[in-house]
Amino acid sequence: MAKWSDILIQRGIIGRDQLADAQRLPNMTLEDALVRQGYAGQEEITQAKAEEFGYPYVNLRETDIPAEAVAAVPEAICRDKFCMPYGEEFGELKIAMAEPDYEVIENLRFVLNKEIAPAIASKDSILAAINEHYGEGSAGGGQGDTESVNSLLKEFTNSALEEMEVGEGKKGAMLGMEGANEAPVIRLVNLLITEAARTRASDIHIEPFADRVRVRYRIDGVCVERDSIPRKLHGAVLSRLKIMSQIDIAEKRRPQDGRIKMMAGEKEIDLRVSVLPTNHGQSVVMRILDRDNIKVGLRDIGFADEDYRRFNNLIRRPNGILLVTGPTGSGKTTTLYAALNELNTPNTKIITAEDPVEYYLPGVNQCEVKHKIGMTFAKIIRAMMRQNPNILLVGEIRDEETAQTAIQASLTGHLVFSTLHTNDAPSAITRLVDIGVAPFLVTSSVMGIMAQRLVRKVCPKCKVRVDPPQHIVEALRLKPEVVKRANFMEGKGCAYCNKKGTRGRMAIFELLVMSSKIREMAFRGESPVEIRNVARREGMRTLFEDGMIKAMKGLTTVDEVLKITNHDLFTSGVASAGKGH
């Protein structure tokens, strides 16, 4: 019997080179690697599995599931066995499973007292069907029930709020002193975090106002508003979050930071918690740190072939500084971690200085900046030098002392990675000079600068080919034959992307490699505009150009590229607002 991977090759969906490439990705199943690399779709793999095991294939997203079938199987069984009923025929209950499991089938037959007709469906479609037909589960809350944020909020009646209101030093039933698993606020906080993780949110914002507490999730860089929490629950929710993140619950005047580690379903997630006093109370932002992000390889980030080759050459040099620039949330840390993953071998010593340590990398010595005790970036770098490292990662160059120390490290034979806050790659050179680094030190130590941004990807389930607006074609001077060959796409909006037309994000890049000509210009103190012009003649592709190439391939939209790169066509109001902006 042919394996599902061989079936994919026979069908022409993947090649043997692509299979071998996916098999090389660390800490990832072959199925996940093929999907992440874009070599095969989840449903294509599921169809191949169905053929391998001799079961029928079903696409639950395109199947109308009758209420009778849903009622026949309790939700607890569906979530425990990870299966979904989708119909009944000739006295047999049709059950969709991600993997054929004879023991599970027999258990279902015994528990339900029905004959079972198993079929194969993708994991994502099974989970989506369970959530749609049974409600959003609280797998991460550890409660064993099936309530959702909506249903729990409805339980908070006015009388219950009066009983559970938290005052000064009064925590009571809200924080679960009598039984943590039964406390409503504990369940609510767990459900909020679990739901945010399930919807791929990067941040949870809990913001108090005069009459309500607004909850928002940041998904693909855009804030999405959730149902408001009653104003009287704010103190209880805040106290619960502070206890989870080991923050002083009595402190209300100063900003505070903490960290939470918890299970969301079968997945362990980390949250970085920031508490900020505002005029209506303390606002909380929780950054969800998904460990899958650090498993990404350089090939997955979105480099064009030429940029990938040049970046790969830069990170394999024996010494020098590589800078990654961009605003907060532009994926700089993910890019640098991907580079470290590429270089993290038993014969290489890597040390990082971060503020704070966001992800824990196996095999890497990570140090956290602690300003209260004087442990700054510069002091950590100096101490690092006595640890005999090959590669240093400096979380951010913020001041002259850090910059000078990092440059000295590179000049003494170390490879240094760091980040800088500038809008484009050429501006990083003048930024270093502005903070006090001598031009000759910049030119002798910096080997490359990469600016990056994140753009939203077109939803793969509902994308359709579109023609770009004529005024954009004319403004960008695109030739008719180029437009005809291009594959401009836009999402119509479906259940998979929550009617947004976009799902997930990808990076666009601007990679400047320091040539002898650019070093001379930097030494003379020439402007970023002049350096940019020379870099482009030497092969640098700008953020806008890289974004447009990806838009022409149908990976993102023209409007998204214009917006993210702050292009004149968007800022002048010529470009349309675009779906979901």
Side-chain angles (χ1 to χ4, degrees), residues 465-525:
R465 195 181 188 283
V466 296
D467 293 322
Q470 190 59 34
H471 58 267
I472 290 180
V473 173
E474 293 171 359
L476 298 179
R477 299 178 183 176
L478 297 177
K479 296 179 181 179
E481 58 269 25
V482 173
V483 176
K484 190 174 181 181
R485 285 201 312 271
N487 203 24
F488 292 101
M489 292 286 185
E490 195 174 275
K492 295 185 296 183
C494 63
Y496 186 63
C497 62
N498 202 23
K499 306 298 181 184
K500 298 290 184 185
T502 58
R503 183 182 170 96
R505 289 190 291 175
M506 68 185 304
I508 56 175
F509 302 100
E510 178 176 288
L511 179 58
L512 184 154
V513 178
M514 295 289 281
S515 64
S516 56
K517 175 70 174 173
I518 293 175
R519 290 183 196 279
E520 290 174 14
M521 296 176 71
F523 182 74
R524 292 195 301 267

Side-chain angles (χ1 to χ4, degrees), residues 105-410:
I105 295 170
E106 287 302 306
N107 284 344
L108 289 172
R109 182 179 288 122
F110 175 77
V111 172
L112 302 175
N113 195 26
K114 283 181 176 289
E115 286 299 314
I116 304 299
I120 302 297
S122 66
K123 294 178 183 177
D124 290 348
S125 67
I126 291 174
L127 182 59
I130 292 173
N131 288 337
E132 179 182 349
H133 292 279
Y134 292 103
E136 310 296 344
S138 61
Q143 316 307 327
D145 54 22
T146 57
E147 63 193 343
S148 66
V149 174
N150 291 335
S151 64
L152 189 53
L153 284 173
K154 289 174 185 175
E155 289 182 16
F156 292 117
T157 61
N158 288 333
S159 58
L161 289 177
E162 291 294 337
E163 290 175 18
M164 296 190 295
E165 183 177 0
V166 177
E168 293 292 331
K170 178 183 173 185
K171 305 299 177 279
M174 290 301 292
L175 299 181
M177 299 303 182
E178 297 178 0
N181 288 338
E182 301 303 321
V185 165
I186 290 181
R187 302 206 312 270
L188 175 61
V189 169
N190 287 338
L191 287 169
L192 282 171
I193 294 173
T194 303
E195 182 182 71
R198 183 187 56 76
T199 57
R200 302 176 300 105
S202 60
D203 300 89
I204 306 170
H205 299 255
I206 300 177
E207 305 158 315
F209 294 100
D211 57 344
R212 66 187 179 117
V213 179
R214 181 170 68 178
V215 177
R216 294 191 292 176
Y217 300 151
R218 188 178 290 277
I219 303 173
D220 294 337
V222 179
C223 282
V224 178
E225 189 161 349
R226 191 67 176 81
D227 289 347
S228 296
I229 294 174
R231 185 68 178 86
K232 290 182 179 180
L233 283 182
H234 177 245
V237 170
L238 183 66
S239 295
R240 175 58 186 163
L241 289 172
K242 285 189 173 186
I243 288 172
M244 292 175 73
S245 49
Q246 297 180 335
I247 293 175
D248 181 6
I249 64 173
E251 178 58 68
K252 298 183 179 180
R253 300 170 300 166
R254 294 190 181 95
Q256 296 170 286
D257 295 298
R259 199 157 184 143
I260 296 173
K261 183 179 289 186
M262 65 174 286
M263 296 297 295
E266 298 178 355
K267 191 175 186 179
E268 188 177 51
I269 60 171
D270 291 326
L271 297 101
R272 199 176 72 205
V273 182
S274 171
V275 181
L276 179 70
T278 69
N279 58 339
H280 289 296
Q282 297 174 84
S283 173
V284 181
V285 175
M286 291 179 280
R287 167 66 58 88
I288 299 175
L289 305 174
D290 189 348
R291 295 182 184 182
D292 289 343
N293 290 345
I294 64 169
K295 297 176 184 176
V296 66
L298 282 180
R299 275 291 186 189
D300 304 326
I301 292 176
F303 281 120
D305 288 340
E306 181 62 19
D307 283 345
Y308 172 77
R309 184 185 63 78
R310 296 165 77 198
F311 187 81
N312 209 26
N313 288 339
L314 285 176
I315 65 173
R316 295 179 191 282
R317 292 190 183 181
N319 61 283
I321 293 183
L322 173 65
L323 295 172
V324 180
T325 78
T328 302
S330 58
K332 301 188 297 294
T333 303
T334 300
T335 298
L336 289 178
Y337 279 180
L340 291 185
N341 280 334
E342 197 84 6
L343 302 171
N344 188 9
T345 58
N347 59 356
T348 304
K349 170 123 181 176
I350 302 173
I351 307 181
T352 74
E354 302 172 68
D355 184 19
V357 173
E358 292 194 358
Y359 302 98
Y360 297 107
L361 295 168
V364 175
N365 300 275
Q366 295 174 272
C367 305
E368 187 160 311
V369 170
K370 295 176 182 175
H371 294 286
K372 289 182 180 179
I373 60 173
M375 194 170 172
T376 62
F377 276 119
K379 284 193 175 180
I380 293 175
I381 298 169
R382 289 193 193 99
M384 282 177 176
M385 305 300 289
R386 294 190 286 272
Q387 294 278 315
N388 191 23
N390 300 105
I391 300 170
L392 306 177
L393 169 63
V394 181
E396 185 183 343
I397 293 178
R398 299 174 180 171
D399 51 43
E400 181 184 356
E401 187 183 16
T402 305
Q404 295 281 13
T405 314
I407 284 173
Q408 290 302 322
S410 70

Side-chain angles (χ1 to χ4, degrees), residues 37 49 103 181 266 401 437 448-449 454-455 461 514 568:
Q37 296 286 66
K49 283 185 175 182
E103 186 177 342
N181 288 338
E266 298 178 355
E401 187 183 16
V437 181
I449 305 163
L454 294 178
V455 294
K461 303 292 183 183
M514 295 289 281
D568 290 342

